[in-house]
Amino acid sequence: MTTWTDRTADNAADRPLSLAAPSGIDRAAHHRLDEAWLAAAWSHPTTRVFVVSGGQVLIDETPDGATELVMTPAFEAPLTEAHRYFLGTDEDGVSYFALQKDTLPGRMDQSARPAGLREAGLLLSQRDAGLMVHAVALENWQRLHRFCSRCGERTVIAAAGHIRRCQACGAEHYPRTDPAVIMAVMDEQDRILLGRQVHWPEGRFSTLAGFVEPGESIEQSVRREVFEEAGVLVGDVEYVASQPWPFPSSLMLGFMAQATSTEINVDGEEIHEARWFSRDDLRAAFETGEVMPPYGISIAARLIELWYGKPLPKPNDAL
């Protein structure tokens, strides 16, 4: 996307995209079926473990002001029967595991606190955020796919949390990822199209998005979703970046798209309101509080930034 990178005033496109930046973790998938290796890794003194529960983990602030996942050696980790997920190794050979539990463990020092990805993803290092995304995605899938879709019998966990097997019919089930497109749509006047979903608070605007349908290319999906939600026709579509979005199991595929029409006709079911904004329009709306930007963790914010030319304001920031 050199066209859009070159147009950003502060080179915003070069900043790591939340949840998608290189984490330095090798997932080491070839070890997932090696029970002897997994047992040795689990018992190694350098191995680090954290608990995931309901999409949350424990985070804590370090003395130097950073935020990190609360991790322990394996021998200090809570007991669990089967929900132990191998996440990979780092360049120093340290192995990382996540444990799925019904509740997060307490901390005697009372300094740690629970956090979900929308908060923690902006605070954690690339390594910790990558580990958390992996663990939360596995936990979501495990909780929702306990029974075989072929015969209905209960499945069991295999491959260190990355497969569920049916012992009745032999079927294997793998974590589900749903492709979704998200797009910043511009018109000939270089205005951007932003919409507000029906369940969002007043003033919350973002880019349009939707799931890819069976038998559809991602470019076709971009054009269909924009027309269905806002009644706007789209011509050229240009890929920008992708972002894992485990809420519960999506992969967001980000695009810049060029509108060939400007009349808006919202569907009223997903999108309550949609508007064209110039940069001056959007800046003024941010200043007055008429428009709230999307969450900074989301790829939506990055797509808008690429058009806007600088980072979007945070809550209560003055432009």
Side-chain angles (χ1 to χ4, degrees):
M1 293 293 101
T2 54
T3 300
W4 289 100
T5 301
D6 293 343
R7 291 174 65 169
T8 54
D10 69 337
N11 217 18
D14 288 341
R15 293 185 287 107
L17 180 62
S18 296
L19 309 184
S23 66
I25 298 294
D26 178 358
R27 294 197 173 197
H30 57 288
H31 289 313
R32 292 174 186 168
L33 295 173
D34 188 339
E35 294 298 333
W37 187 94
L38 291 169
W42 176 258
S43 62
H44 198 278
T46 64
T47 292
R48 289 297 175 264
V49 182
F50 64 95
V51 175
V52 58
S53 179
Q56 291 191 318
V57 298
L58 287 178
I59 61 173
D60 205 353
E61 278 68 46
T62 64
D64 60 1
T67 302
E68 63 182 11
L69 279 175
V70 174
M71 292 191 274
T72 66
F75 63 83
E76 294 181 4
L79 295 177
T80 182
E81 293 183 359
H83 295 272
R84 186 170 76 188
Y85 310 142
F86 172 60
L87 304 178
T89 61
D90 65 18
E91 60 183 7
D92 296 320
V94 175
S95 297
Y96 296 88
F97 289 82
L99 300 181
Q100 178 181 325
K101 302 289 285 185
D102 290 335
T103 59
L104 293 174
R107 291 275 292 193
M108 293 183 64
D109 57 20
Q110 299 298 312
S111 65
R113 58 187 175 86
L117 264 174
R118 285 186 171 89
E119 176 189 3
L122 290 172
L123 302 174
L124 296 173
S125 67
Q126 294 177 16
R127 184 203 69 178
D128 284 6
L131 290 169
M132 184 179 177
V133 169
H134 192 173
V136 168
L138 285 178
E139 184 208 19
N140 285 333
W141 173 68
Q142 293 282 357
R143 289 186 184 278
L144 297 175
H145 294 81
R146 296 177 178 176
F147 296 90
C148 179
S149 60
R150 179 185 293 177
C151 71
E153 292 296 320
R154 182 176 289 274
T155 56
V156 296
I157 295 173
H162 294 77
I163 294 176
R164 291 193 73 99
R165 288 199 179 107
C166 179
Q167 295 179 311
C169 72
E172 289 188 346
H173 305 279
Y174 295 84
R176 172 176 171 173
T177 298
D178 301 318
V181 292
I182 183 167
M183 41 275 174
V185 180
M186 281 74 63
D187 69 0
E188 290 185 350
Q189 300 177 49
D190 202 22
R191 298 179 300 174
I192 193 169
L193 178 66
L194 301 179
R196 182 167 69 86
Q197 292 190 17
V198 294
H199 60 276
W200 285 357
E202 190 73 27
R204 175 72 68 191
F205 280 81
S206 188
T207 53
L208 304 183
F211 288 103
V212 179
E213 293 187 346
E216 184 177 55
S217 72
I218 52 179
E219 294 84 0
Q220 290 170 333
S221 182
V222 168
R223 298 184 180 102
R224 175 185 53 77
E225 284 288 345
V226 174
F227 184 74
E228 286 181 358
E229 294 185 350
V232 172
L233 296 173
V234 165
D236 292 339
V237 174
E238 191 174 13
Y239 173 75
V240 178
S242 64
Q243 181 185 45
W245 197 247
F247 301 110
S249 57
S250 300
L251 176 65
M252 305 302 296
L253 307 170
F255 295 88
M256 293 294 190
Q258 190 66 40
T260 59
S261 70
T262 57
E263 183 177 351
I264 294 173
N265 183 21
V266 297
D267 63 7
E269 296 182 3
E270 293 185 58
I271 302 298
H272 177 74
E273 178 184 6
R275 294 164 54 185
W276 291 105
F277 292 89
S278 69
R279 291 175 183 80
D280 289 340
D281 292 338
L282 193 57
R283 185 177 298 109
F286 286 150
E287 290 174 342
T288 63
E290 178 187 357
V291 169
M292 296 182 289
Y295 297 104
I297 193 176
S298 70
I299 192 174
R302 181 58 52 82
L303 293 174
I304 298 173
E305 285 178 352
L306 289 174
W307 165 84
Y308 192 54
K310 61 182 179 180
L312 302 184
K314 299 176 182 178
N316 301 320
D317 278 358
L319 294 182

